[in-house]
Amino acid sequence: MRTQVVIIGGGPSGLLLSQLLHLAGIESVVLERQSREHVLSRIRAGVLEQGMADLLRQAQAGDRMDREGFIHDGTQLELSGVGCRIDFRKLTGRAVIVYGQTELTRDLYDARDRLGGRVLHDVQDVTLHGLDGDAPYVSYRVGDTRQRLACDFVAGCDGFHGVSRQSIPHALRREYHRVYPFAWLGVLSQTPPVSAELIYVAHDRGFALCSMRNAKLSRYYVQCDPADAVEQWPDERFWEELKRRIPEAAADRIVTGPALEKSITQCRSFVAEPMQWGRLFLAGDAAHIVPPTGAKGLNLAASDIHYLATGLRQYYQDRDFSGLERYSERALARVWQAERFSWWMSTLLHRFPEHDAFDRRMQRAEQEQLIRSDTAQRLLAENYVGLRY
Ligand code: APR
Ligand code: PHB
């Protein structure tokens, strides 16, 4: 069998790329290890930059986001007991859309179905071949049947634990990694959001975040020990800890309820360079990971896909390789800015167990500068709403 682009991974990155290529008349096949149900069972972040929202509309998958997503003109910070609102609209003229990644992924699957896109599930033993030549191919297994798919290019959209990044010779890869001394315990509850905007909290007991999915579905997080297990956090303990960290007025009005989903996310920063090798191009979590503090994971995947889809369109329409040749350089320039911002927001808002008295004073000074400086708030706002592609 043959196609033009083989896409490894049927998460947001792979599905978005497949849809954009289809609309440009470029054939692709998505190879996904899990079932569709499994992919759609994942609960992930829910803040979309303007660029992501525009790409979804371009992919003919933005209608429900436009109907059901919440436009947020700002966010609340509670910095060691002092409230501070970051007004995105005033500081940047732009906003973000709060819309769950699960719903976005569902919309992309529906869009692929409408166009008859080829997304193969339960695909095992994906192996990439001939990447450094002009006739790459991918082998894989479905059940007991082994298949081979020839192509022009391979897009590695298979996440942090995927096979694509490992297919670049180790000697050619440079990897940058920071594991943080904390994790995020997240709870999804069928309760009305405690606030119309997100509340990011820096507290002596640790970070907390009040977010949402819709008017009846809330998403809350508390910083926890990376070694914690979900079993150590029964609902009652979670709600009690969250109330101790969030502003008193919010704690007084919050509606609690049973956790529909409860999970612990480790926090790390990771970048693999380069994001391409021969006919292989990495995008999304396959190439980089950010701590969830700045809500950049999905939005970085979007800008990667924008650059990669642009390069592939240039190749197939004009046999012009220049976009593909510059893909890694262009994507990494934006990746590192998002990595910096996510690292900075994480250091601003979390309690670091190993911090000494001086470290804590530096963190407090950073918070105080943000509270009093329009310039500091503008810098946060520009990064949060998303740097231009
Ligand atoms: N073969 C086929 N599919 C694979 C393989 C493999 N060897 N390894 C992983 N996959 C699939 C996973 O099952 C997953 O569905 O690749 C997909 C990768 O999806 P994500 O991990 O969601 O990564 P991405 O599409 O880049 O989306 C990034 O997802 O993890 C969040 O925070 C992240 O919001 C960001 C977004
Ligand atoms: C979420 O709603 O899950 C969310 C929002 C903002 C973040 C992280 C997660 O920074």
Side-chain angles (χ1 to χ4, degrees):
M1 293 192 296
R2 158 169 262 286
T3 188
Q4 290 174 304
V5 182
V6 173
I7 298 172
I8 318 294
S13 297
L15 295 168
L16 180 58
L17 177 62
S18 177
Q19 183 72 357
L20 292 171
L21 293 180
H22 196 139
L23 293 169
I26 300 166
E27 279 181 17
S28 69
V29 175
V30 176
L31 303 179
E32 166 55 50
R33 175 162 64 183
Q34 305 289 355
S35 69
R36 182 180 289 203
E37 294 67 31
H38 181 99
V39 174
L40 290 174
S41 69
R42 294 170 183 148
I43 302 294
R44 296 278 169 69
V47 175
L48 309 185
E49 295 174 354
Q50 192 73 51
M52 169 94 236
D54 292 343
L55 263 186
L56 265 185
R57 297 178 185 118
Q58 184 185 329
Q60 298 179 4
D63 289 352
R64 195 157 69 104
M65 172 195 68
D66 286 329
R67 283 198 312 273
E68 299 175 12
F70 292 160
I71 294 175
H72 281 209
D73 289 336
T75 191
Q76 307 286 337
L77 303 182
E78 183 75 10
L79 302 172
S80 307
V82 179
C84 169
R85 180 173 184 266
I86 306 295
D87 188 335
F88 304 142
R89 191 69 76 181
K90 181 187 82 174
L91 295 164
T92 70
R94 290 185 287 154
V96 293
I97 296 180
V98 173
Y99 185 66
Q101 178 173 317
T102 308
E103 300 318 309
L104 177 150
T105 306
R106 190 188 313 280
D107 296 340
L108 283 167
Y109 266 118
D110 293 346
R112 295 307 294 128
D113 291 347
R114 285 195 296 273
L115 292 186
R118 294 176 65 196
V119 181
L120 307 185
H121 286 278
D122 302 312
V123 171
Q124 304 305 319
D125 302 337
V126 169
T127 309
L128 313 184
H129 309 269
L131 296 172
D132 54 347
D134 57 6
Y137 68 95
V138 174
S139 63
Y140 60 92
R141 178 171 57 79
V142 178
D144 295 331
T145 310
R146 195 132 193 93
Q147 302 282 358
R148 171 175 168 148
L149 191 50
C151 57
D152 300 326
F153 302 101
V154 180
C157 300
D158 48 347
F160 184 64
H161 301 288
V163 65
S164 298
R165 185 176 68 250
Q166 310 300 337
S167 302
I168 298 178
H170 196 271
L172 298 180
R173 273 187 277 141
R174 298 177 301 282
E175 296 189 350
Y176 304 84
H177 205 173
R178 167 67 55 86
V179 178
Y180 294 90
F182 47 76
W184 278 25
L185 169 66
V187 160
L188 188 70
S189 59
Q190 192 81 40
T191 56
V194 73
S195 164
E197 293 182 330
L198 273 59
I199 307 176
Y200 288 87
V201 182
H203 190 281
D204 285 345
R205 297 180 64 85
F207 169 80
L209 172 61
C210 302
S211 184
M212 64 205 67
R213 291 291 176 270
N214 58 49
K216 296 177 181 173
L217 203 56
S218 295
R219 181 69 169 169
Y220 294 106
Y221 298 94
V222 295
Q223 171 185 342
C224 67
D225 188 300
D228 279 2
V230 168
E231 293 69 30
Q232 295 169 255
W233 286 89
D235 290 7
E236 186 179 353
R237 179 188 175 195
F238 174 83
W239 291 118
E240 183 186 328
E241 186 60 38
L242 179 72
K243 286 182 182 179
R244 295 182 72 170
R245 298 184 188 182
I246 63 178
E248 193 174 338
D252 290 343
R253 68 172 182 267
I254 193 169
V255 176
T256 64
L260 304 179
E261 187 270 351
K262 190 185 292 175
S263 54
I264 291 179
T265 302
Q266 299 303 319
C267 294
R268 70 175 80 237
S269 298
F270 174 83
V271 178
E273 293 185 352
M275 289 175 54
Q276 67 189 92
W277 180 62
R279 292 297 179 100
L280 171 64
F281 297 85
L282 304 180
D285 277 16
H288 42 71
I289 297 287
V290 285
T293 325
K296 289 301 167 198
L298 180 59
N299 291 299
L300 258 188
S303 47
D304 291 350
I305 295 305
H306 166 74
Y307 298 133
L308 183 52
T310 302
L312 287 166
R313 281 195 294 265
Q314 278 176 345
Y315 171 76
Y316 283 107
Q317 287 163 9
D318 309 321
R319 283 296 179 271
D320 173 359
F321 263 108
S322 62
L324 291 175
E325 285 165 350
R326 289 192 58 222
Y327 166 71
S328 181
E329 172 202 347
R330 291 183 71 190
L332 283 168
R334 195 171 191 275
V335 163
W336 279 112
Q337 287 302 314
E339 290 284 349
R340 183 210 67 82
F341 173 67
S342 303
W343 161 83
W344 173 80
M345 250 188 114
S346 298
T347 54
L348 178 82
L349 297 172
H350 289 79
R351 192 179 59 76
F352 286 70
E354 79 281 7
H355 265 187
D356 63 19
F358 178 79
D359 295 320
R360 283 193 293 276
R361 289 305 292 156
M362 286 298 98
Q363 187 183 52
R364 188 77 195 94
E366 189 78 25
Q367 293 171 357
E368 286 166 359
Q369 177 181 235
L370 192 57
I371 290 165
R372 64 170 168 72
S373 164
D374 277 350
T375 304
Q377 292 183 22
R378 177 169 288 105
L379 205 53
L380 188 159
E382 285 175 353
N383 283 276
Y384 195 95
V385 301
L387 301 181
R388 308 248 183 226
Y389 288 5

